[in-house]
Amino acid sequence: MNLPGNTFKAALRAGQVQIGIWNSLSDPAVSELLAGCGYDWMVFDTEHSTVGPNEVISFLRTVAPYPVGPVVRPGWNDPVEIKKLLDAGAQTLLIPYIQSAEEARAAVAAVTYPPNGMRGVAGITRATRYGAVADYATRASEEICLLVQVETREALSRLKEIAQVPGVDGVFFGPADLAASLDYPGQPSHPEVRKAILDGIALLGELGMPAGILSLDQTFLHEARAAGALFIAVDVDTGLLRRSALARRADWA
């Protein structure tokens, strides 16, 4: 069996804008519903949800028939957690709270087999199609896509060095945490936060590094796209559900 391809990674390398959706509800029915809605990529969020590796492997199986690129966000830059998600078949990981080039290099090592990294080798996993992909250990890195998340003042000050770490495939901005770090908690669309992110996206463009973002502020997202962002998450499942429910109730006020 051939090594499964990573369409999301290929699209980023080709410079194609990818529009995504956030999945934090721990039910594969939600993942399946979202997978059929035409988004290019979707995040399975294990950082700010109760979702764990068992749910992730179920989600990956559920969305496999759909033309959407699954991205998994672990709870932390933890090589043990990362190893479990990779063995479950995740090919694109979004690592939160990267503060420095050193931490970015640690993330690269966690997704890479020796001698270039430290990922543990297991031959009979979903990632290898239970041993059917004979050359998985030598070729896995071809299709693994590593995204690192910049979400603090300190990380912004080191953005260039983080982006230049070999093995990093994209840099993602988290406006909520960044706003808190910049002394604007609860204001992810504050002008200073917007400027910091838009300037960061422009810098990444100069470096040839794909930039990504999640926001519920659609005007901000269009600004990010104009600045050069390539992978843009435009909403969250829980937010969509709540807004729709409130709007329908208001119709019957």
Side-chain angles (χ1 to χ4, degrees):
M1 180 179 291
N2 290 329
L3 178 68
N6 187 334
T7 57
F8 177 77
K9 182 175 183 177
L12 291 190
R13 286 189 167 180
Q16 300 170 358
V17 173
Q18 300 291 287
I19 303 301
I21 188 76
W22 219 258
N23 183 187
S24 59
L25 293 171
S26 55
D27 187 325
V30 176
S31 304
E32 187 170 29
L33 184 155
L34 293 175
C37 289
Y39 291 95
D40 301 305
W41 61 292
M42 61 188 300
V43 170
F44 301 137
D45 188 5
T46 78
E47 181 188 12
H48 290 295
S49 76
T50 60
V51 172
N54 284 338
E55 289 90 353
V56 167
I57 198 168
S58 176
F59 295 168
L60 291 171
R61 289 178 178 135
T62 298
V63 307
Y66 295 87
V68 61
V71 177
V72 181
R73 180 164 73 170
W76 197 248
N77 188 11
D78 177 352
V80 175
E81 185 177 357
I82 289 170
K83 175 172 56 180
K84 288 179 180 290
L85 295 173
L86 291 173
D87 285 348
Q91 289 184 302
T92 302
L93 295 182
L94 172 60
I95 311 300
Y97 212 79
I98 295 297
Q99 295 273 76
S100 65
E102 180 180 7
E103 292 183 3
R105 283 191 289 269
V108 172
V111 304
T112 308
Y113 283 128
N116 299 314
M118 61 169 291
R119 178 185 174 188
V121 181
I124 306 176
T125 64
R126 184 174 182 273
T128 70
R129 296 304 184 261
Y130 305 100
V133 181
D135 56 351
Y136 182 83
T138 58
R139 294 191 54 211
S141 291
E142 296 174 17
E143 302 299 339
I144 289 174
C145 180
L146 178 65
L147 311 173
V148 298
Q149 191 158 332
V150 167
E151 47 191 334
T152 66
R153 185 192 301 270
E154 291 76 14
L156 269 184
S157 70
R158 300 167 183 155
L159 179 59
K160 186 173 182 179
E161 61 187 75
I162 291 171
Q164 292 179 319
V165 170
V168 170
D169 297 297
V171 176
F172 184 87
F173 293 97
D177 282 297
L178 187 54
S181 182
L182 294 175
D183 300 325
Y184 302 108
Q187 302 179 66
S189 292
H190 188 281
E192 292 299 319
V193 179
R194 294 164 82 113
K195 182 179 186 306
I197 291 175
L198 295 175
D199 288 349
I201 291 171
L203 173 60
L204 292 174
E206 294 172 4
L207 298 173
M209 174 59 64
I213 186 173
L214 162 69
S215 177
L216 303 187
D217 183 335
Q218 302 302 301
T219 299
F220 185 14
L221 290 180
H222 282 290
E223 293 171 349
R225 181 171 183 170
L230 276 187
F231 55 109
I232 304 166
V234 299
D235 223 314
V236 179
D237 53 6
T238 50
L240 282 166
L241 179 59
R242 177 172 170 76
R243 291 198 308 275
S244 180
L246 288 172
R248 178 63 70 230
R249 183 65 183 91
D251 289 341
W252 291 87

